[in-house]
Amino acid sequence: MTRTRYQEMLDRLKRDVIQMGKLSQTAVHNSVKALKELDMELAQKVIDEDEVIDDCELKIEKGVSQLIALQNPTAGDMRFVTSCLKIAIDLERMSDLAVNIAEITVNIEGDHIKPLVDIPKMADIADNMLEQAMIAFENNYIDLAKATAERDDEIDRIYYATEKELIEMMIDDKDIITNASHLLFVLRHLERIGDHACNICESVVYIASGKRTDLN
Amino acid sequence: MPDNYDDSIEIKVENLDLWYGDNQALYDVSIDIPKNSVTALIGPSGCGKSTFLRCLNRMNDLVKSCRIQGQVHIDGQNIYSKDIDVVGLRKRVGMVFQKPNPFPMSIKDNIAYGPRIHGAPKKDIDTIVEEALRSGALWDEVHERIGMPALDLSGGQQQRLCIARTLAVRPEVLLFDEPCSALDPISTAKIEDLILQLKKNYTIVIVTHNMQQAARISDYTGFFLTGKLVEFDRTEQIFESPKEKATEDYITGRFG
């Protein structure tokens, strides 16, 4: 193997992206857990730890810039390096959405208007999509990336059904409008998290094959 | 003219094999080089890229032990057919080398040398010299002193003079063999800009060890390895998603 320093920089970048993926996944997971259990402490933890994830993004951005400036990555390396930047942006957005969910939890007054079933189900799928997308990234698994992106349809189905249900509940009972609209936003945030997971899957396909695909 | 003649193709090479004595240096190379494009040939030392370039204006004829099989058509004409005028061919297919090699005479005489040999009338010489120096992006720097010795110019200027000298005989194709390897980055940038200008009127083939140069200025890239053309494609394709692993290994610097 030649170009040892180059390879070290590429390896470090990959480790940083994988690490950021784990932190974002934890943020998404905890934000929904806090919402379901109305655990204000956990919600606050998600909000506080966002800074660490933002730092990860900056570190990745710096690693990408250095690789481009110093090493002239081409071909598969170039696809990997530019995609790392995109993936970091997706992960950062996902963490911000998790923070948004945590902030909603902090602002919810009293108990939930109904037992939360669909939202945690949606969150489980989104959480799992992110985990699988990052496994696909780590190992260049094109098939896993494609299969993972397909699960976004399940999220969308739950999103539309639950949205409809919440609107009907608000029509029936004006007193729940505040909390129900909070939940509408949570739905929207989870749906967006699924979309970002799809983006990561698209990046994996591009890295591994050079093909730009629309999996969303 | 070949049966499958396509007038958007300037250079058509079919199944080219080449031997130096018993050593085969090129194996079954086929390539279509489009008109008014820049094609870069890359590959490690000894891969055959310069040998291939020299086949395009029959420079290898000068190597005694050299034997060639296959066909090279330029503008539809087989340049290895018996009735071809090799001097005329080299007028049509100009070449610029690694080290600038001006003749030990004035700037003007360097440019005028070719046209004079090819019988240009004396009254036209000044115009030809000015046109060639302008096309070679050198006129503004030297027009007040074209009587001075060409060897007094800087390395980058000498190389542009050699390009202008090639242009003075109005070729169709320009071959560049590592034209910037002896130049600093600023002179290199000037030559690269010039090459991009020239492709409007000429078909250009350039051999380079500088991969980023190939990426910057070429439309097509061919990767040679041990005498074989491993891959030939649009430059964006080669540098973004090459099809062959050997190409990927070479351009990412992971060879050996």
Side-chain angles (χ1 to χ4, degrees), chain B residues 36-42 176 179-180 188-199 204-208 210-221 234-236 239:
Chain B
N36 300 113
S37 64
V38 178
T39 296
L41 305 178
I42 59 170
F176 290 88
C180 300
T188 298
K190 284 185 183 166
I191 302 274
E192 288 182 2
D193 281 351
L194 177 57
I195 288 174
L196 289 172
Q197 284 286 319
L198 291 173
K199 81 166 176 176
I204 294 167
V205 186
I206 174 170
V207 162
T208 177
N210 182 336
M211 230 107 55
Q212 287 310 310
Q213 178 167 71
R216 282 193 296 267
I217 62 169
S218 70
D219 302 296
Y220 297 88
T221 298
R234 303 270 328 168
T235 297
E236 300 87 33
F239 284 89

Side-chain angles (χ1 to χ4, degrees), chain A residues 16-178:
Chain A
D16 289 344
V17 174
I18 291 167
Q19 174 64 14
M20 185 176 178
K22 286 187 176 137
L23 293 173
S24 298
Q25 204 196 329
T26 304
V28 170
H29 182 81
N30 284 344
S31 70
V32 178
K33 187 166 185 270
L35 173 72
K36 191 181 173 191
E37 295 165 7
L38 291 174
D39 181 341
M40 302 301 160
E41 215 172 290
L42 187 58
Q44 193 56 48
K45 194 169 172 246
V46 171
I47 296 167
D48 294 343
E49 286 179 355
D50 189 48
E51 215 173 287
V52 181
I53 295 173
D54 289 346
D55 287 346
C56 280
E57 192 203 4
L58 285 177
K59 193 175 169 194
I60 289 164
E61 201 180 310
K62 199 172 158 196
V64 168
S65 303
Q66 283 184 349
L67 268 156
I68 291 172
L70 306 177
Q71 301 287 358
N72 270 326
T74 48
D77 295 339
M78 183 278 297
R79 300 199 302 270
F80 167 75
V81 169
T82 54
S83 298
C84 281
L85 192 57
K86 279 187 70 182
I87 292 172
I89 292 168
D90 281 315
L91 291 172
E92 195 272 335
R93 289 298 307 144
M94 287 163 123
S95 313
D96 283 352
L97 292 164
V99 168
N100 292 153
I101 294 171
E103 283 168 349
I104 287 170
T105 304
V106 173
N107 288 321
I108 278 183
E109 291 165 6
D111 280 337
H112 285 306
I113 52 169
K114 68 171 196 113
L116 297 192
V117 179
D118 292 324
I119 285 178
K121 203 194 282 174
M122 226 173 135
D124 277 349
I125 301 169
D127 189 355
N128 187 254
M129 280 174 74
L130 174 53
E131 186 184 10
Q132 298 299 308
M134 292 310 292
I135 291 172
F137 168 75
E138 192 170 349
N139 302 290
N140 279 348
Y141 289 156
I142 296 180
D143 291 343
L144 180 62
K146 286 182 177 168
T148 300
E150 274 175 21
R151 301 199 62 200
D152 195 43
D153 292 345
E154 292 173 52
I155 290 190
D156 289 348
R157 262 198 304 278
I158 301 173
Y159 171 59
Y160 290 119
T162 313
E163 184 189 41
K164 194 166 166 250
E165 189 192 348
L166 283 170
I167 289 170
E168 280 164 2
M169 284 173 74
M170 285 192 274
I171 292 169
D172 290 345
D173 181 359
K174 288 197 174 70
D175 292 342
I176 63 162
I177 285 181
T178 307

Side-chain angles (χ1 to χ4, degrees), chain B residues 47-202:
Chain B
C47 68
K49 58 191 187 300
S50 288
T51 294
F52 175 79
L53 191 76
R54 294 158 68 91
C55 289
L56 302 181
N57 68 348
R58 292 186 54 172
M59 290 288 277
N60 289 318
D61 289 13
L62 308 172
V63 181
K64 259 195 183 142
S65 63
C66 179
R67 189 160 57 83
I68 284 172
Q69 224 171 60
Q71 296 203 324
V72 179
H73 288 92
I74 292 185
D75 206 16
Q77 187 183 27
N78 181 6
I79 64 165
Y80 283 95
S81 76
K82 280 192 185 113
D83 52 355
I84 200 101
D85 163 21
V86 178
V87 175
L89 170 72
R90 294 192 189 129
K91 177 173 173 286
R92 284 169 58 203
V93 184
M95 193 158 192
V96 176
F97 299 87
Q98 188 168 358
K99 277 196 185 151
N101 53 355
F103 303 136
M105 47 181 81
S106 71
I107 295 172
K108 179 181 170 177
D109 287 341
N110 262 274
I111 305 288
Y113 192 86
R116 278 179 188 141
I117 283 185
H118 291 289
K122 211 173 174 183
K123 64 177 175 55
D124 293 348
I125 291 294
D126 283 350
T127 318
I128 292 172
V129 168
E130 181 174 340
E131 268 176 19
L133 286 170
R134 281 190 190 281
S135 304
L138 195 58
W139 176 254
D140 290 347
E141 289 164 57
V142 303
H143 67 100
E144 284 171 339
R145 46 181 176 139
I146 57 171
M148 73 178 250
L151 291 166
D152 287 357
L153 294 171
S154 74
Q157 288 172 327
Q158 287 187 18
Q159 192 64 308
R160 278 179 284 146
L161 177 71
C162 292
I163 295 172
R165 188 175 65 191
T166 309
L167 300 177
V169 295
R170 306 214 160 97
E172 298 157 34
V173 176
L174 294 172
L175 308 178
F176 290 88
D177 194 354
E178 289 272 355
C180 300
S181 60
L183 304 182
D184 70 19
I186 293 167
S187 303
T188 298
K190 284 185 183 166
I191 302 274
E192 288 182 2
D193 281 351
L194 177 57
I195 288 174
L196 289 172
Q197 284 286 319
L198 291 173
K199 81 166 176 176
K200 289 174 198 150
N201 300 312
Y202 307 91

Side-chain angles (χ1 to χ4, degrees), chain A residues 2-3 7 10 74-79 206 210 212, chain B residues 212 238-242 248 251-256:
Chain A
T2 49
R3 299 192 73 181
Q7 193 57 50
L10 290 170
T74 48
D77 295 339
M78 183 278 297
R79 300 199 302 270
Y206 176 62
R212 290 189 174 83
Chain B
Q212 287 310 310
I238 294 281
F239 284 89
E240 186 181 345
S241 299
E248 172 119 13
I251 63 170
T252 58
R254 289 196 170 78
F255 240 64

